[in-house]
């Protein structure tokens, strides 16, 4: 992971974090931004530190996922990436107040989401609002899921670093 970039304005301080994967520069975005007491985490995918996709779905002749058995592995890796980003701000998934899961197959996601989410958050009833939305395509054809997060920090955690 690359180090924090900090940009200050007269009204606030914005901290950004990156993984250093190629699509950050190609698309032009930060993986996460902290402004005040809120952290906005961009859509996370299942990739490793080098940007290689973890558990990519096999594609059919038209370039669409042929099956969805990799949903659980992709979901686990996606939560792990979000946890790494939040750790860069000195916090955890405990501070997440809302998440949105974008999935190619709602049934496949529902089949594993309860178990994976409970493990990721470390509790039988995660304390965050959650949305699960079926979509027709994600950034990479092999991806089955992308998750965005919003976390809110306590006053002590919110101080710029």
């Amino acid at each position: 992971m690359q180090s924090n970039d900090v940009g200050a304005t007269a009204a606030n301080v914005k901290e950004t974090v990156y993984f250093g994967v190629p699509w950050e520069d190609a698309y032009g975005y930060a993986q996460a931004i902290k402004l005040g007491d809120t952290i906005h985490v961009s859509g996370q995918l299942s990739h490793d530190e080098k940007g290689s996709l973890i558990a990519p779905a096999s594609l059919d002749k038209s370039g669409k996922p042929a099956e969805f058995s990799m949903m659980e592995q992709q979901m686990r890796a996606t939560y792990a990436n979000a946890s790494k980003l939040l750790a860069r701000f000195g916090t955890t998934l405990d501070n997440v107040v809302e998440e949105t899961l974008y999935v190619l197959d709602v049934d496949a996601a529902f089949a594993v989401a309860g178990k994976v989410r409970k493990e990721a958050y470390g509790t039988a009833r995660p304390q965050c609002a959650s949305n699960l939305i079926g979509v027709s395509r994600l950034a990479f054809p092999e991806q089955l899921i992308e998750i965005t997060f919003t976390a809110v920090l306590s006053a002590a955690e919110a101080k710029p670093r």
Side-chain angles (χ1 to χ4, degrees), residues 61-143:
K61 291 178 183 178
S62 69
K64 294 184 179 185
E67 47 87 24
F68 297 87
S69 64
M70 307 310 280
M71 180 70 77
E72 183 173 347
Q73 286 178 273
Q74 286 193 18
M75 193 178 293
R76 285 183 192 289
T78 302
Y79 277 103
N81 283 340
S83 293
K84 290 174 189 174
L85 290 170
L86 291 169
R88 298 278 300 282
F89 292 110
T91 194
T92 68
L93 289 171
D94 289 340
N95 289 83
V96 171
V97 296
E98 185 173 24
E99 64 178 16
T100 300
L101 292 77
Y102 298 95
V103 300
L104 296 185
D105 185 293
V106 172
D107 292 333
F110 268 126
V112 298
K115 177 174 122 180
V116 173
R117 289 181 70 254
K118 291 173 185 179
E119 289 174 9
Y121 285 99
T123 181
R125 186 172 267 177
Q127 300 294 303
C128 71
S130 182
N131 311 290
L132 192 144
I133 300 170
V135 298
S136 63
R137 172 80 201 274
L138 294 168
F140 300 107
E142 302 86 0
Q143 283 302 129

